[in-house]
């Protein structure tokens, strides 16, 4: 009889261990909440904002330079804007004494990819700098352009897959939207809020694309 009980005890222990491993595996693979940019205005508010934006043909890129939008400025201590966004948008981010991210994970809302190296992540300007230039920023002061390029208050900066950000370039929503369709409503709301806050114009194709997305939110 003791042998039977021992065998039963071993079977129970094995089952318990197997169950624990299964739960651990689920926890390891289950999606977890990620930090994110400031929540954009609602779709209804975005539709109102969009209706109020000036519609005009996109301006020229003549004279544009990224240097005219001072970015990744110091935010606190040794941390610049890029490093602040990496910390904000990532999970379990560890930074060294110079504020560089040495470990962590980043989920890219644009394409659904997760990265474990900060080098694989870009900080995207929702409204690209060159797009802003063509939409009115060419007449701003350098100080205002710097505020726009480092804006942590509006939903203007987000950590995403680097090559996805590079493929977006300076395109507007008539030309480019996130491949992850579940994020397009949020993206449109972010775009419109930023353009409204900075009193930038939209061209007709851009407005039409934004209206289409927002009407489906």
């Amino acid at each position: 009889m003791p042998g039977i009980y021992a065998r039963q005890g071993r079977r129970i222990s094995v089952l318990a261990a197997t169950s624990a491993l299964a739960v651990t595996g689920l926890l390891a693979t289950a999606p977890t909440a990620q930090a994110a940019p400031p929540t954009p205005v609602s779709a209804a508010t975005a539709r109102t904002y969009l209706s109020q934006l000036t519609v005009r043909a996109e301006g020229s890129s003549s004279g544009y330079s990224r240097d005219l939008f001072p970015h990744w400025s110091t935010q606190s201590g040794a941390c610049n804007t890029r490093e602040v966004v990496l910390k904000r948008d990532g999970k379990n981010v560890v930074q060294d004494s110079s504020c560089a991210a040495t470990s962590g994970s980043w989920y890219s809302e644009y394409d659904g990819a997760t990265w474990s190296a900060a080098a694989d992540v870009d900080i995207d300007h929702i409204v690209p700098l060159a797009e802003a230039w063509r939409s009115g920023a060419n007449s701003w002061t350098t100080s205002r352009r710097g505020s726009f390029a480092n804006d942590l208050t509006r939903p203007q900066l987000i950590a995403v897959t680097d090559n996805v950000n590079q493929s977006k370039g300076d395109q507007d929503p008539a030309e480019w939207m996130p491949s992850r369709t579940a994020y397009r409503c949020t993206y449109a709301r972010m775009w419109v809020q930023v353009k409204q806050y900075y009193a930038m114009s939209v061209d007709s194709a851009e407005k039409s694309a934004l209206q289409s997305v927002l009407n489906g939110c």
Side-chain angles (χ1 to χ4, degrees):
M1 292 295 287
I4 293 173
Y5 290 136
R7 286 194 298 275
Q8 288 176 335
R10 284 197 295 273
R11 282 198 295 271
I12 291 169
S13 296
V14 169
L15 287 170
T18 303
S19 297
L21 285 170
V23 170
T24 302
L26 286 172
L27 289 174
T29 57
T32 55
Q34 295 284 326
T39 302
V41 296
S42 68
T45 299
R47 286 192 290 269
T48 298
Y49 283 177
L50 183 58
S51 71
Q52 297 169 346
L53 292 179
T54 298
V55 179
R56 66 169 178 238
E58 198 166 80
S60 169
S61 293
S62 177
Y64 168 73
S65 167
R66 287 179 66 84
D67 293 340
L68 294 172
F69 292 79
H71 53 289
W72 307 163
S73 60
T74 301
Q75 294 293 333
S76 176
C79 301
N80 66 27
T81 307
R82 171 182 163 81
E83 292 152 350
V84 168
V85 177
L86 283 173
K87 177 75 170 178
R88 182 197 70 189
D89 289 5
K91 183 183 176 200
N92 300 325
V93 177
V94 175
Q95 296 172 307
D96 63 19
S97 59
S98 64
C99 210
T102 58
S103 64
S105 65
W106 292 269
Y107 176 76
S108 171
E109 293 284 5
Y110 288 178
D111 58 338
T114 299
W115 303 97
S116 58
D120 292 321
V121 178
D122 275 358
I123 307 306
D124 181 39
H125 289 95
I126 295 294
V127 176
L129 305 184
E131 163 68 20
W133 178 267
R134 298 189 296 265
S135 303
N138 61 321
S139 65
W140 296 353
T141 63
T142 301
S143 175
R144 183 168 176 77
R145 287 193 289 261
S147 295
F148 166 79
N150 296 277
D151 193 344
L152 294 166
T153 304
R154 262 66 51 183
Q156 162 66 350
L157 300 171
I158 185 171
V160 296
T161 302
D162 56 359
N163 61 356
V164 172
N165 178 49
Q166 290 153 24
S167 70
K168 170 186 169 179
D170 62 357
Q171 299 177 91
D172 69 32
E175 303 158 320
W176 187 93
M177 289 289 283
S179 61
R180 219 180 125 244
T181 55
Y183 200 67
R184 289 182 179 179
C185 178
T186 301
Y187 183 81
R189 289 157 49 207
M190 296 164 88
W191 183 284
V192 172
Q193 181 178 348
V194 172
K195 281 227 161 175
Q196 188 272 344
Y197 180 82
Y198 287 96
M200 288 184 274
S201 62
V202 291
D203 63 50
S204 57
E206 174 189 353
K207 181 175 182 177
S208 178
L210 289 163
Q211 281 178 325
S212 179
V213 173
L214 292 171
N215 287 340
C217 291

